[in-house]
mmCIF file of all heavy atoms in Angstrom:
data_model
loop_
_atom_site.group_PDB
_atom_site.id
_atom_site.type_symbol
_atom_site.label_atom_id
_atom_site.label_comp_id
_atom_site.label_asym_id
_atom_site.label_seq_id
_atom_site.Cartn_x
_atom_site.Cartn_y
_atom_site.Cartn_z
ATOM 1 N N MET J 887 5.749 -12.913 16.832
ATOM 2 C CA MET J 887 5.837 -13.613 15.554
ATOM 3 C C MET J 887 5.945 -12.605 14.400
ATOM 4 O O MET J 887 6.641 -12.831 13.424
ATOM 5 C CB MET J 887 4.517 -14.382 15.416
ATOM 6 C CG MET J 887 4.515 -15.569 14.575
ATOM 7 S SD MET J 887 3.109 -16.614 15.046
ATOM 8 C CE MET J 887 1.675 -15.686 14.577
ATOM 9 N N ALA J 888 5.242 -11.512 14.544
ATOM 10 C CA ALA J 888 5.154 -10.509 13.476
ATOM 11 C C ALA J 888 5.681 -9.182 14.014
ATOM 12 O O ALA J 888 4.938 -8.375 14.557
ATOM 13 C CB ALA J 888 3.701 -10.376 13.023
ATOM 14 N N PRO J 889 6.985 -8.956 13.878
ATOM 15 C CA PRO J 889 7.625 -7.831 14.547
ATOM 16 C C PRO J 889 7.018 -6.469 14.205
ATOM 17 O O PRO J 889 7.009 -5.575 15.050
ATOM 18 C CB PRO J 889 9.074 -7.893 14.054
ATOM 19 C CG PRO J 889 9.243 -9.232 13.452
ATOM 20 C CD PRO J 889 7.905 -9.760 13.085
ATOM 21 N N ALA J 890 6.494 -6.300 13.009
ATOM 22 C CA ALA J 890 5.956 -4.989 12.653
ATOM 23 C C ALA J 890 4.739 -4.625 13.498
ATOM 24 O O ALA J 890 4.357 -3.464 13.583
ATOM 25 C CB ALA J 890 5.614 -4.930 11.163
ATOM 26 N N GLN J 891 4.143 -5.639 14.139
ATOM 27 C CA GLN J 891 3.006 -5.333 15.025
ATOM 28 C C GLN J 891 3.444 -4.601 16.287
ATOM 29 O O GLN J 891 2.619 -4.159 17.071
ATOM 30 C CB GLN J 891 2.252 -6.615 15.381
ATOM 31 C CG GLN J 891 1.478 -7.180 14.202
ATOM 32 C CD GLN J 891 0.573 -8.338 14.580
ATOM 33 O OE1 GLN J 891 0.911 -9.142 15.449
ATOM 34 N NE2 GLN J 891 -0.567 -8.442 13.922
ATOM 35 N N ARG J 892 4.760 -4.454 16.450
ATOM 36 C CA ARG J 892 5.244 -3.616 17.571
ATOM 37 C C ARG J 892 5.158 -2.143 17.208
ATOM 38 O O ARG J 892 5.318 -1.282 18.078
ATOM 39 C CB ARG J 892 6.713 -3.947 17.880
ATOM 40 C CG ARG J 892 6.885 -5.341 18.408
ATOM 41 C CD ARG J 892 8.167 -5.481 19.238
ATOM 42 N NE ARG J 892 8.297 -6.874 19.639
ATOM 43 C CZ ARG J 892 9.027 -7.772 18.984
ATOM 44 N NH1 ARG J 892 9.732 -7.413 17.935
ATOM 45 N NH2 ARG J 892 9.048 -9.024 19.383
ATOM 46 N N GLN J 893 4.939 -1.852 15.929
ATOM 47 C CA GLN J 893 4.876 -0.450 15.491
ATOM 48 C C GLN J 893 3.498 0.102 15.817
ATOM 49 O O GLN J 893 2.519 -0.134 15.130
ATOM 50 C CB GLN J 893 5.199 -0.376 13.991
ATOM 51 C CG GLN J 893 6.660 -0.706 13.738
ATOM 52 C CD GLN J 893 6.935 -1.181 12.332
ATOM 53 O OE1 GLN J 893 6.043 -1.602 11.619
ATOM 54 N NE2 GLN J 893 8.199 -1.132 11.942
ATOM 55 N N SER J 894 3.453 0.847 16.896
ATOM 56 C CA SER J 894 2.160 1.204 17.478
ATOM 57 C C SER J 894 1.403 2.244 16.666
ATOM 58 O O SER J 894 0.247 2.502 16.907
ATOM 59 C CB SER J 894 2.373 1.683 18.904
ATOM 60 O OG SER J 894 3.296 2.754 18.883
ATOM 61 N N TRP J 895 2.062 2.848 15.670
ATOM 62 C CA TRP J 895 1.344 3.842 14.866
ATOM 63 C C TRP J 895 0.409 3.172 13.861
ATOM 64 O O TRP J 895 -0.406 3.830 13.255
ATOM 65 C CB TRP J 895 2.322 4.794 14.156
ATOM 66 C CG TRP J 895 3.409 4.112 13.384
ATOM 67 C CD1 TRP J 895 3.365 3.723 12.082
ATOM 68 C CD2 TRP J 895 4.709 3.741 13.863
ATOM 69 N NE1 TRP J 895 4.545 3.129 11.714
ATOM 70 C CE2 TRP J 895 5.392 3.136 12.786
ATOM 71 C CE3 TRP J 895 5.345 3.857 15.101
ATOM 72 C CZ2 TRP J 895 6.693 2.644 12.908
ATOM 73 C CZ3 TRP J 895 6.636 3.367 15.200
ATOM 74 C CH2 TRP J 895 7.291 2.776 14.126
ATOM 75 N N TYR J 896 0.528 1.840 13.698
ATOM 76 C CA TYR J 896 -0.466 1.122 12.887
ATOM 77 C C TYR J 896 -1.587 0.632 13.809
ATOM 78 O O TYR J 896 -1.326 0.212 14.930
ATOM 79 C CB TYR J 896 0.162 -0.092 12.208
ATOM 80 C CG TYR J 896 0.944 0.233 10.951
ATOM 81 C CD1 TYR J 896 2.277 -0.140 10.834
ATOM 82 C CD2 TYR J 896 0.336 0.874 9.880
ATOM 83 C CE1 TYR J 896 2.997 0.137 9.679
ATOM 84 C CE2 TYR J 896 1.045 1.143 8.723
ATOM 85 C CZ TYR J 896 2.367 0.783 8.629
ATOM 86 O OH TYR J 896 3.052 1.058 7.489
ATOM 87 N N PRO J 897 -2.826 0.641 13.314
ATOM 88 C CA PRO J 897 -3.946 0.226 14.166
ATOM 89 C C PRO J 897 -4.131 -1.301 14.179
ATOM 90 O O PRO J 897 -5.170 -1.817 13.775
ATOM 91 C CB PRO J 897 -5.139 0.922 13.508
ATOM 92 C CG PRO J 897 -4.778 1.013 12.058
ATOM 93 C CD PRO J 897 -3.283 1.171 12.006
ATOM 94 N N TRP J 898 -3.153 -2.037 14.637
ATOM 95 C CA TRP J 898 -3.242 -3.497 14.692
ATOM 96 C C TRP J 898 -4.355 -3.937 15.627
ATOM 97 O O TRP J 898 -4.621 -3.247 16.597
ATOM 98 C CB TRP J 898 -1.913 -4.113 15.169
ATOM 99 C CG TRP J 898 -0.717 -3.670 14.427
ATOM 100 C CD1 TRP J 898 0.316 -2.919 14.904
ATOM 101 C CD2 TRP J 898 -0.392 -3.969 13.062
ATOM 102 N NE1 TRP J 898 1.257 -2.726 13.923
ATOM 103 C CE2 TRP J 898 0.843 -3.359 12.784
ATOM 104 C CE3 TRP J 898 -1.034 -4.689 12.044
ATOM 105 C CZ2 TRP J 898 1.462 -3.431 11.535
ATOM 106 C CZ3 TRP J 898 -0.423 -4.767 10.801
ATOM 107 C CH2 TRP J 898 0.799 -4.141 10.564
ATOM 108 N N PRO J 899 -4.933 -5.112 15.400
ATOM 109 C CA PRO J 899 -4.690 -6.023 14.291
ATOM 110 C C PRO J 899 -5.374 -5.531 13.012
ATOM 111 O O PRO J 899 -6.273 -4.706 13.057
ATOM 112 C CB PRO J 899 -5.332 -7.330 14.769
ATOM 113 C CG PRO J 899 -6.459 -6.877 15.641
ATOM 114 C CD PRO J 899 -5.971 -5.625 16.325
ATOM 115 N N TYR J 900 -4.923 -6.111 11.885
ATOM 116 C CA TYR J 900 -5.524 -5.813 10.585
ATOM 117 C C TYR J 900 -6.991 -6.241 10.656
ATOM 118 O O TYR J 900 -7.308 -7.348 11.087
ATOM 119 C CB TYR J 900 -4.788 -6.615 9.518
ATOM 120 C CG TYR J 900 -4.939 -6.126 8.091
ATOM 121 C CD1 TYR J 900 -3.940 -5.371 7.492
ATOM 122 C CD2 TYR J 900 -6.054 -6.467 7.319
ATOM 123 C CE1 TYR J 900 -4.043 -4.948 6.173
ATOM 124 C CE2 TYR J 900 -6.165 -6.046 5.995
ATOM 125 C CZ TYR J 900 -5.152 -5.280 5.433
ATOM 126 O OH TYR J 900 -5.239 -4.865 4.120
ATOM 127 N N VAL J 901 -7.865 -5.351 10.216
ATOM 128 C CA VAL J 901 -9.308 -5.622 10.264
ATOM 129 C C VAL J 901 -9.898 -5.346 8.891
ATOM 130 O O VAL J 901 -9.477 -4.414 8.204
ATOM 131 C CB VAL J 901 -9.979 -4.707 11.325
ATOM 132 C CG1 VAL J 901 -11.487 -4.672 11.161
ATOM 133 C CG2 VAL J 901 -9.596 -5.135 12.727
ATOM 134 N N GLU J 902 -10.845 -6.140 8.489
ATOM 135 C CA GLU J 902 -11.608 -5.875 7.269
ATOM 136 C C GLU J 902 -13.064 -6.232 7.502
ATOM 137 O O GLU J 902 -13.394 -6.884 8.492
ATOM 138 C CB GLU J 902 -11.058 -6.661 6.056
ATOM 139 C CG GLU J 902 -10.175 -5.823 5.139
ATOM 140 C CD GLU J 902 -10.840 -4.525 4.667
ATOM 141 O OE1 GLU J 902 -12.084 -4.453 4.664
ATOM 142 O OE2 GLU J 902 -10.138 -3.574 4.322
ATOM 143 N N GLY J 903 -13.909 -5.814 6.585
ATOM 144 C CA GLY J 903 -15.320 -6.113 6.760
ATOM 145 C C GLY J 903 -16.058 -6.214 5.429
ATOM 146 O O GLY J 903 -15.623 -5.663 4.410
ATOM 147 N N LEU J 904 -17.159 -6.958 5.466
ATOM 148 C CA LEU J 904 -18.049 -7.095 4.314
ATOM 149 C C LEU J 904 -19.480 -6.997 4.835
ATOM 150 O O LEU J 904 -19.723 -7.268 6.021
ATOM 151 C CB LEU J 904 -17.897 -8.483 3.659
ATOM 152 C CG LEU J 904 -16.571 -8.850 2.986
ATOM 153 C CD1 LEU J 904 -16.636 -10.312 2.544
ATOM 154 C CD2 LEU J 904 -16.275 -7.940 1.795
ATOM 155 N N THR J 905 -20.412 -6.646 3.964
ATOM 156 C CA THR J 905 -21.817 -6.792 4.352
ATOM 157 C C THR J 905 -22.140 -8.295 4.281
ATOM 158 O O THR J 905 -21.439 -9.067 3.612
ATOM 159 C CB THR J 905 -22.757 -6.043 3.400
ATOM 160 O OG1 THR J 905 -22.638 -6.630 2.089
ATOM 161 C CG2 THR J 905 -22.423 -4.556 3.327
ATOM 162 N N ILE J 906 -23.217 -8.686 4.928
ATOM 163 C CA ILE J 906 -23.631 -10.103 4.878
ATOM 164 C C ILE J 906 -23.949 -10.476 3.422
ATOM 165 O O ILE J 906 -23.623 -11.575 2.973
ATOM 166 C CB ILE J 906 -24.873 -10.364 5.767
ATOM 167 C CG1 ILE J 906 -24.599 -9.965 7.207
ATOM 168 C CG2 ILE J 906 -25.324 -11.816 5.645
ATOM 169 C CD1 ILE J 906 -23.840 -10.948 8.028
ATOM 170 N N GLU J 907 -24.544 -9.522 2.675
ATOM 171 C CA GLU J 907 -24.869 -9.821 1.270
ATOM 172 C C GLU J 907 -23.596 -10.079 0.464
ATOM 173 O O GLU J 907 -23.562 -10.946 -0.397
ATOM 174 C CB GLU J 907 -25.660 -8.674 0.617
ATOM 175 C CG GLU J 907 -27.068 -8.468 1.128
ATOM 176 C CD GLU J 907 -27.104 -7.875 2.532
ATOM 177 O OE1 GLU J 907 -26.183 -7.106 2.878
ATOM 178 O OE2 GLU J 907 -28.047 -8.204 3.286
ATOM 179 N N GLU J 908 -22.564 -9.302 0.744
ATOM 180 C CA GLU J 908 -21.293 -9.532 0.038
ATOM 181 C C GLU J 908 -20.687 -10.868 0.455
ATOM 182 O O GLU J 908 -20.206 -11.628 -0.382
ATOM 183 C CB GLU J 908 -20.313 -8.391 0.346
ATOM 184 C CG GLU J 908 -20.696 -7.060 -0.304
ATOM 185 C CD GLU J 908 -19.760 -5.924 0.099
ATOM 186 O OE1 GLU J 908 -19.275 -5.906 1.246
ATOM 187 O OE2 GLU J 908 -19.520 -5.041 -0.754
ATOM 188 N N ALA J 909 -20.708 -11.130 1.746
ATOM 189 C CA ALA J 909 -20.073 -12.358 2.245
ATOM 190 C C ALA J 909 -20.780 -13.611 1.716
ATOM 191 O O ALA J 909 -20.148 -14.665 1.564
ATOM 192 C CB ALA J 909 -20.063 -12.367 3.764
ATOM 193 N N THR J 910 -22.078 -13.492 1.451
ATOM 194 C CA THR J 910 -22.804 -14.667 0.964
ATOM 195 C C THR J 910 -22.934 -14.656 -0.562
ATOM 196 O O THR J 910 -23.528 -15.570 -1.124
ATOM 197 C CB THR J 910 -24.216 -14.756 1.602
ATOM 198 O OG1 THR J 910 -24.870 -13.494 1.438
ATOM 199 C CG2 THR J 910 -24.124 -15.095 3.075
ATOM 200 N N ASN J 911 -22.355 -13.647 -1.219
ATOM 201 C CA ASN J 911 -22.320 -13.673 -2.674
ATOM 202 C C ASN J 911 -21.456 -14.863 -3.108
ATOM 203 O O ASN J 911 -20.444 -15.162 -2.468
ATOM 204 C CB ASN J 911 -21.710 -12.364 -3.206
ATOM 205 C CG ASN J 911 -21.665 -12.351 -4.722
ATOM 206 O OD1 ASN J 911 -20.718 -12.820 -5.335
ATOM 207 N ND2 ASN J 911 -22.719 -11.833 -5.335
ATOM 208 N N GLU J 912 -21.841 -15.516 -4.192
ATOM 209 C CA GLU J 912 -21.131 -16.743 -4.549
ATOM 210 C C GLU J 912 -19.636 -16.543 -4.786
ATOM 211 O O GLU J 912 -18.846 -17.481 -4.635
ATOM 212 C CB GLU J 912 -21.765 -17.399 -5.777
ATOM 213 C CG GLU J 912 -21.671 -16.534 -7.023
ATOM 214 C CD GLU J 912 -21.893 -17.325 -8.311
ATOM 215 O OE1 GLU J 912 -21.043 -18.174 -8.635
ATOM 216 O OE2 GLU J 912 -22.918 -17.084 -8.973
ATOM 217 N N LEU J 913 -19.210 -15.335 -5.145
ATOM 218 C CA LEU J 913 -17.776 -15.117 -5.413
ATOM 219 C C LEU J 913 -16.924 -15.043 -4.155
ATOM 220 O O LEU J 913 -15.721 -15.271 -4.203
ATOM 221 C CB LEU J 913 -17.584 -13.792 -6.173
ATOM 222 C CG LEU J 913 -17.821 -13.739 -7.654
ATOM 223 C CD1 LEU J 913 -17.451 -12.346 -8.162
ATOM 224 C CD2 LEU J 913 -16.999 -14.788 -8.389
ATOM 225 N N ALA J 914 -17.529 -14.630 -3.042
ATOM 226 C CA ALA J 914 -16.736 -14.437 -1.807
ATOM 227 C C ALA J 914 -16.182 -15.784 -1.363
ATOM 228 O O ALA J 914 -16.927 -16.750 -1.164
ATOM 229 C CB ALA J 914 -17.605 -13.812 -0.732
ATOM 230 N N PHE J 915 -14.880 -15.837 -1.196
ATOM 231 C CA PHE J 915 -14.201 -17.126 -1.031
ATOM 232 C C PHE J 915 -13.223 -17.026 0.122
ATOM 233 O O PHE J 915 -12.515 -16.016 0.270
ATOM 234 C CB PHE J 915 -13.438 -17.397 -2.342
ATOM 235 C CG PHE J 915 -13.071 -18.824 -2.589
ATOM 236 C CD1 PHE J 915 -14.030 -19.826 -2.606
ATOM 237 C CD2 PHE J 915 -11.743 -19.178 -2.853
ATOM 238 C CE1 PHE J 915 -13.680 -21.147 -2.875
ATOM 239 C CE2 PHE J 915 -11.385 -20.489 -3.113
ATOM 240 C CZ PHE J 915 -12.355 -21.477 -3.126
ATOM 241 N N LEU J 916 -13.169 -18.045 0.959
ATOM 242 C CA LEU J 916 -12.165 -18.089 2.027
ATOM 243 C C LEU J 916 -11.093 -19.064 1.574
ATOM 244 O O LEU J 916 -11.352 -20.269 1.438
ATOM 245 C CB LEU J 916 -12.823 -18.491 3.343
ATOM 246 C CG LEU J 916 -13.667 -17.350 3.923
ATOM 247 C CD1 LEU J 916 -14.597 -17.840 5.023
ATOM 248 C CD2 LEU J 916 -12.768 -16.214 4.440
ATOM 249 N N ALA J 917 -9.939 -18.543 1.298
ATOM 250 C CA ALA J 917 -8.881 -19.352 0.669
ATOM 251 C C ALA J 917 -7.952 -19.930 1.728
ATOM 252 O O ALA J 917 -7.530 -19.243 2.660
ATOM 253 C CB ALA J 917 -8.100 -18.490 -0.319
ATOM 254 N N THR J 918 -7.658 -21.203 1.548
ATOM 255 C CA THR J 918 -6.770 -21.927 2.471
ATOM 256 C C THR J 918 -5.548 -22.452 1.738
ATOM 257 O O THR J 918 -4.641 -23.004 2.369
ATOM 258 C CB THR J 918 -7.519 -23.111 3.102
ATOM 259 O OG1 THR J 918 -7.944 -23.982 2.028
ATOM 260 C CG2 THR J 918 -8.739 -22.647 3.872
ATOM 261 N N GLY J 919 -5.543 -22.312 0.431
ATOM 262 C CA GLY J 919 -4.422 -22.804 -0.355
ATOM 263 C C GLY J 919 -4.288 -22.030 -1.655
ATOM 264 O O GLY J 919 -5.139 -21.198 -1.998
ATOM 265 N N ILE J 920 -3.211 -22.282 -2.347
ATOM 266 C CA ILE J 920 -2.946 -21.628 -3.633
ATOM 267 C C ILE J 920 -2.051 -22.570 -4.434
ATOM 268 O O ILE J 920 -1.250 -23.300 -3.861
ATOM 269 C CB ILE J 920 -2.311 -20.228 -3.381
ATOM 270 C CG1 ILE J 920 -2.241 -19.383 -4.658
ATOM 271 C CG2 ILE J 920 -0.932 -20.339 -2.759
ATOM 272 C CD1 ILE J 920 -1.839 -17.912 -4.398
ATOM 273 N N TYR J 921 -2.222 -22.586 -5.749
ATOM 274 C CA TYR J 921 -1.445 -23.472 -6.628
ATOM 275 C C TYR J 921 -1.504 -24.929 -6.167
ATOM 276 O O TYR J 921 -0.503 -25.644 -6.186
ATOM 277 C CB TYR J 921 0.019 -22.994 -6.749
ATOM 278 C CG TYR J 921 0.128 -21.637 -7.415
ATOM 279 C CD1 TYR J 921 0.219 -20.483 -6.652
ATOM 280 C CD2 TYR J 921 0.086 -21.509 -8.806
ATOM 281 C CE1 TYR J 921 0.277 -19.225 -7.247
ATOM 282 C CE2 TYR J 921 0.151 -20.264 -9.416
ATOM 283 C CZ TYR J 921 0.238 -19.124 -8.625
ATOM 284 O OH TYR J 921 0.292 -17.894 -9.221
#
Side-chain angles (χ1 to χ4, degrees):
M887 205 159 67
Q891 289 188 325
R892 294 203 183 96
Q893 291 158 341
S894 56
W895 51 89
Y896 280 123
W898 307 114
Y900 199 100
V901 165
E902 260 307 336
L904 294 175
T905 63
I906 302 280
E907 291 72 31
E908 290 176 325
T910 51
N911 181 273
E912 63 162 293
L913 280 184
F915 200 56
L916 287 165
T918 60
I920 190 170
Y921 296 96

